[in-house]
Amino acid sequence: MHVQEWLETVPAVSIYLLVGVVIGLESLGIPLPGEIILVSSALLASQHGDIDPVVLGACASAGAIIGDSIGYAIGRKGGRPLLAWLGGKFPKHFGAPQIALAERSFEKWGMWAVFFGRFVALLRIFAGPLAGVLRMPYWKFLIANVLGGILWAGGTTAVIYSVGVVAEAWLKRFSWLGLLAAVLIGVISMLVLKNRAKKAAAQADRAAPSTEPDTVPAGD
């Protein structure tokens, strides 16, 4: 809860900008805790009337879409050397195993990897730059980027905000229990989505031959 306690001291406009910038940089390809910032801000909005959840969701969506688009442009110009450079700078996020998994996801799912990648931390960082490196047609990328960005950012804001509003009644009578319930429900919701995404990625990983890369489909 340290992030939320800090956010409580920040003006509403600054929170909108912070959410948009952090999510934008994460979508661009920089490993940042965009999801944590968004969830904390949405929960904070449910308890403080100064923060408009609609504006918050719009800023988060805009950051996600713009960041991914910039990442796509950088990836398209930088190509494979860019991935190699990122692997040297951020080996835990852009190492060979992570890049291979992301590439297999793109080869199997195409533009849907950009859409569903919004709900998976690893693919959320990779989606824009990797789509550019792999030369995905921009119109396909843009459709998946816009729809995925709005659904992930706007949907997360709406769900966490609603949970916080419901928990507000508990907060008046059982302060720490209500807050704990709100946090747990939000965390469980994210874990369920991530677990489903990981299972889908694992199935794609098993389906792709590990010792015969030449047999992997060339793409859409």
Side-chain angles (χ1 to χ4, degrees):
M1 298 306 297
H2 297 293
V3 174
Q4 186 181 357
E5 291 173 358
W6 177 74
L7 287 174
E8 290 178 355
T9 67
V10 180
V13 174
S14 298
I15 291 179
Y16 301 146
L17 292 175
L18 175 67
V19 169
V21 169
V22 171
I23 291 178
L25 291 176
E26 182 190 38
S27 300
L28 190 152
I30 300 176
L32 290 175
E35 192 170 51
I36 295 177
I37 294 293
L38 179 58
V39 169
S40 298
S41 299
L43 186 59
L44 185 65
S46 69
Q47 302 170 22
H48 297 271
D50 294 339
I51 303 174
D52 189 332
V54 175
V55 176
L56 181 65
C59 290
S61 299
I65 294 169
I66 294 172
D68 243 17
S69 297
I70 295 175
Y72 175 91
I74 293 174
R76 196 171 180 88
K77 290 185 178 181
R80 298 267 175 196
L82 173 63
L83 295 181
W85 180 82
L86 289 172
K89 293 293 183 180
F90 307 102
K92 292 184 178 180
H93 297 88
F94 291 90
Q98 289 83 358
I99 291 177
L101 175 59
E103 282 192 281
R104 285 196 292 270
S105 299
F106 269 73
E107 289 166 350
K108 184 175 180 62
W109 302 106
M111 64 184 291
W112 292 108
V114 177
F115 178 82
F116 289 111
R118 277 291 171 193
F119 301 90
V120 184
L122 176 63
L123 287 179
R124 188 161 58 247
I125 297 173
F126 270 113
L130 190 55
V133 170
L134 297 178
R135 302 284 176 172
M136 176 182 289
Y138 183 69
W139 69 269
K140 287 187 176 182
F141 171 80
L142 182 62
I143 292 174
N145 178 28
V146 171
L147 294 179
I150 293 175
L151 184 61
W152 173 72
T156 298
T157 301
V159 170
I160 299 302
Y161 177 81
S162 299
V163 168
V165 170
V166 171
E168 182 67 19
W170 286 58
L171 286 169
K172 293 178 181 179
R173 297 175 57 190
F174 310 101
S175 180
W176 67 273
L177 288 177
L179 182 58
L180 179 61
V183 173
L184 286 177
I185 292 174
V187 170
I188 290 173
S189 299
M190 288 189 297
L191 289 177
V192 170
L193 289 174
K194 287 186 176 182
N195 185 50
R196 292 181 178 176
K198 285 182 179 178
K199 286 182 178 179
Q203 290 176 354
D205 189 26
R206 287 194 298 270
S210 58
T211 58
E212 297 180 13
D214 292 338
T215 62
V216 177
D220 292 2

